Each structure stands twice: as structure tokens, then as C-alpha cells.
């Protein structure tokens, strides 16, 4: 699917060259976003780190929320924060915590309390 810059959505930033493919371990994150009924798009993003990709994604998102990842962490960024200070930096450990970070990214958009 091509990137639609007019569609309000959370942007999930994959490293360039991955053809917008998320690792299978991050599938629960998509479920967390979907359970909060917020749309998302997956997009290859420039950036040397997950934090930089997440920030770039937040700037590109009409909802101002971007998510980046590396082998060990998921980063949730909001465009009004400083580029080097993401909102969440969550270790990739288990499916429940991965799902929760997706739900919390969506809850940021909705303006409702985060899941603990």
C-alpha cells in the first residue's frame, strides 16, 4: 500500500530498505493500535536510530504520533516533543507489553489515559 499523506494515521517507521515490513514479533503492537480503533500506516523512514525514525514518523503523521523500533526497543514519539526525547521507550520482551505500547500510541491520539 502506498503512503497516503492525507490519511490521518499513526505512522510506523520501518528502516529504509525493509519494504515496509514489520518483524513478526511486533504483530501484537498492530493489534493494540487496532483495538483502540486508530488507523496506522507503515512507511520506510530515514534515520540512524529508532528514536530518529519515530520522530520523523511523528512529524509525517497527521495525528502527530510516530512509532519506530530496533531489535530491542519500540519507540513512541509525539511531534511536539524534542527529537531526542520520545514519549515511550519500551523493551521488546513479551507480546503483552508489545500490544500495550501499540494501544498507548493510539491512546495518545485519543487523549485518554494510558494502559499501565
Amino acid at each position: 500500500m502506498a503512503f497516503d499523506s492525507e490519511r490521518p494515521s499513526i505512522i510506523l517507521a520501518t528502516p529504509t530498505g525493509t519494504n515496509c515490513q514489520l518483524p513478526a514479533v511486533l504483530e501484537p503492537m498492530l493489534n493494540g493500535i487496532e483495538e483502540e480503533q486508530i488507523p496506522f500506516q507503515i512507511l520506510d523512514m530515514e534515520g540512524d536510530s529508532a528514536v530518529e525514525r519515530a520522530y520523523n514518523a511523528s512529524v509525517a503523521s497527521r495525528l502527530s504520533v510516530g512509532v519506530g523500533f530496533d531489535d530491542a526497543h519500540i519507540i513512541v514519539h509525539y511531534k511536539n516533543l524534542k527529537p531526542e526525547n520520545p514519549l515511550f521507550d519500551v523493551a521488546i520482551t513479551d507480546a503483552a507489553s508489545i500490544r500495550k505500547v501499540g494501544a498507548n500510541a493510539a491512546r495518545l491520539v485519543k487523549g485518554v489515559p494510558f494502559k499501565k
Side-chain angles (χ1 to χ4, degrees):
M1 174 190 302
F3 175 61
D4 181 357
S5 63
E6 295 301 313
R7 180 176 168 219
S9 57
I10 294 172
I11 304 292
L12 306 176
T14 57
T16 53
T18 59
N19 296 320
C20 300
Q21 296 296 313
L22 286 179
V25 71
L26 297 183
E27 287 295 320
M29 180 177 62
L30 301 180
N31 297 333
I33 295 170
E34 288 174 345
E35 77 186 14
E36 297 292 334
Q37 301 177 342
I38 299 296
F40 64 87
Q41 294 186 67
I42 302 171
L43 182 65
D44 280 359
M45 281 274 172
E46 295 287 329
D48 294 332
S49 68
V51 172
E52 187 176 351
R53 285 190 301 276
Y55 180 75
N56 292 344
S58 72
V59 171
S61 168
R62 290 196 55 214
L63 298 178
S64 302
V65 177
V67 178
F69 62 91
D70 58 24
D71 293 338
H73 292 98
I74 300 170
I75 307 296
V76 177
H77 222 308
Y78 185 66
K79 85 171 188 181
N80 292 338
L81 297 175
K82 292 181 180 179
E84 64 277 2
N85 293 327
L87 182 61
F88 296 119
D89 181 341
V90 178
I92 297 172
T93 55
D94 60 277
S97 65
I98 294 168
R99 184 182 190 109
K100 193 182 322 177
V101 75
N104 284 338
R107 285 172 169 240
L108 175 60
V109 171
K110 293 167 70 171
V112 298
F114 297 125
K115 291 185 174 192
K116 298 199 184 255

